[in-house]
Amino acid sequence: MKQCLRPHAMALRPPASVAQLCQRIRGADAALVGTAGAPPLLFAAAALAGAPPGHGILCIGPEGDWTPEELAALLEAGAMPVGLGDLRLRAETAAVAMLAYVRLQLD
């Protein structure tokens, strides 16, 4: 935290069920869900750039992507679908890439 000049520690939570994630999305200021075939993250990040800082959620699904039912539930809860490019990324790589890009756009 000190090394990164962050005013507080980042909250990392254990894996959640889709139902639990939907509850968190409903209470968030913004939520992005990475999924294949969605519009590029560039467009979503640009839309969020003017928003005041708040409580946001970045969602990366399991290996093989979200099921259609899971994705529908996340979108119904208010998440915005975003694509991370043409290459397939491992879940842990996708999470870091998404967080880095959003942080870059918001700074």
Side-chain angles (χ1 to χ4, degrees), residues 91-101:
E92 61 273 18
T93 307
V96 171
M98 185 183 234
L99 178 59
Y101 190 82

Side-chain angles (χ1 to χ4, degrees), residues 2-25:
K2 282 183 176 180
Q3 182 181 15
C4 297
L5 303 176
R6 293 181 62 89
H8 59 277
M10 184 186 318
L12 297 177
R13 298 181 186 190
S17 70
V18 173
Q20 292 169 325
L21 186 54
C22 287
Q23 289 176 346
R24 291 179 188 166
I25 289 170

